[in-house]
Amino acid sequence: DLAGIVAYHRIQSSPGFRDAARFCLGRLRDAGVPAEIHSFAADGVTDFWGYPPPQEWSARAATLRLIAPEKEARVLADYREDRIAIVQRSLATPADGVEAEVVPLENGEEEAEYEGLDLEGKVVLSRGEVDRVRELAVERHGAAGILFDGMREAPPVRPIMSLAARQYTSFWWEESEEARRCFGFVLTPQQGEWLRRLIKSEARDGRTVRVHASADTSFYAGHGENVVAYIPGETPEEVWLIAHLCHPQASANDNASGSAVLLEAARAIARLIEEGRLPKPRRGLRFLLVPEITGTYAYLATHEELIPNVVAALNLDMVGEDQAQCGSTLNLAQAPLCSPSVSDDLLALIMEALAAEGEGFMGTTSYALFRWIEAPFSAGSDHYVLADPTVGIPCPMLLQWPDRFYHTSADTLDKVDPAMLGRVGVAAATYLWWFATAGPREAGWLGQAMVTRPEARLGRMEQ
């Protein structure tokens, strides 16, 4: 499943995401899991609870070539070879492309850095946040486009300049900003450093460095998709498992891994019920594959009647990491303290049992063969929408962090550990099944188990 998902360029509100959604729909239906696609407007205007999904965008080709000095001419970025080579949601260039001088900036995020620069019709090379650079360089100073050569650090596993990869970078336009759009390309930090040295060298002799940029892209009023599978229970109550399906190709751990685990959990539970090895659950199980955040808002806004019946949920985000390569730790990210529930404690108890993989020398202790921790709430993915007190769905998250390859072109299939996928799949399916079937006996067991946990949790928070 994971290998199938990474075959698609899964930008939110795009044909590639739609193809990935259809792939997952087919996998669920082939496994006998009732599933459908729920479409929602992605026109840059329609909003869901005040949150507008991005306008649909399609990219067919994009190339950045260094053309001067001629002796250094080469292709710097090609979308067909690396989908992250373009700033996602870039504007199309004219059919014959754009030829322009390259002007280096450091970050380009402060107006003072532009003093004395003539940027009209030129492209800027910047490590800064692209929407801020676009506002200053393009909108205020007339630049034609942006070359981004930054890399977010992820200490201690990814110091700056330690990874020769491109960072996933995107514009996030509103429909009202159509006149201000521009194109952008992404370079590796090493390419950017080389280009900066070249510009400095050429400037000493009064010459400029020039590039030719060509991008075949388009914006239009389109649709987003949520893949929804449902295993009915005996009551209207439900338990949800959610994972975001979006991000550029390959984005294997982020988040083809969470999506693939969700598919397998749905498949396994449905099969065991069909075979009579598990009974029909008391509560229904709903599985959601969404474009991150936007799909969750869209689904909740159009299915508000379901919310009071959801007793718990779990978000899977970046769960398949090969920890040795990625430098990651599996985080149980707790629900926010403003929305207390039993979900965190249940998931922690499941993880403790799951982590008893190795046996001590004398056979009296057990230990994990992987790294995992309980972590306080942090936002950044779909769980924070569900767990917000105004929604009120208890929803912790399983997440691997830090990750050396996070949001880069190096987040590929070879960084995924099948054993880790299996561990998370067991934890997620057990969590779902407990909530789907729990009655007074199970609630009493969990309550007693929770009695011993608050003091330890408060001690960790105090530290």
Side-chain angles (χ1 to χ4, degrees), residues 310-346:
V310 185
V311 299
L314 176 62
N315 182 31
L316 302 178
D317 188 356
M318 298 174 57
V319 295
E321 276 78 345
D322 179 330
Q323 293 188 338
Q325 290 191 75
C326 299
S328 57
T329 296
L330 181 59
N331 288 236
L332 189 174
Q334 298 163 338
L337 293 177
C338 60
S339 300
S341 80
V342 301
S343 57
D344 297 343
D345 291 282
L346 174 66

Side-chain angles (χ1 to χ4, degrees), residues 66-145:
L66 178 65
I67 58 174
E70 190 173 353
K71 67 178 183 299
E72 297 290 355
R74 66 191 66 185
V75 174
L76 295 174
D78 189 339
Y79 172 81
R80 288 176 173 168
E81 293 183 359
D82 184 350
R83 297 295 194 244
I84 296 180
I86 190 174
V87 177
Q88 307 301 313
R89 300 185 182 85
S90 279
L91 185 69
T93 63
D96 57 352
V98 172
E99 182 180 325
E101 178 186 343
V102 182
V103 178
L105 303 171
E106 186 56 35
N107 289 318
E109 296 178 355
E110 300 297 331
E111 181 65 52
E113 196 171 341
Y114 294 84
E115 186 175 348
L117 294 180
D118 174 16
L119 298 182
E120 189 67 35
K122 301 173 184 178
V123 296
V124 294
L125 175 64
S126 171
R127 301 185 181 100
E129 196 275 321
V130 293
D131 279 316
R132 176 60 174 167
V133 174
R134 181 209 56 79
E135 177 188 356
L136 294 176
V138 177
E139 186 176 343
R140 297 189 190 178
H141 293 276

Side-chain angles (χ1 to χ4, degrees), residues 1-24:
D1 287 341
L2 201 155
I5 292 168
V6 301
Y8 300 100
H9 184 49
R10 311 180 308 278
I11 291 299
Q12 292 196 19
S13 307
S14 74
F17 183 93
R18 186 169 302 116
D19 290 342
R22 289 170 177 164
F23 168 81
C24 292

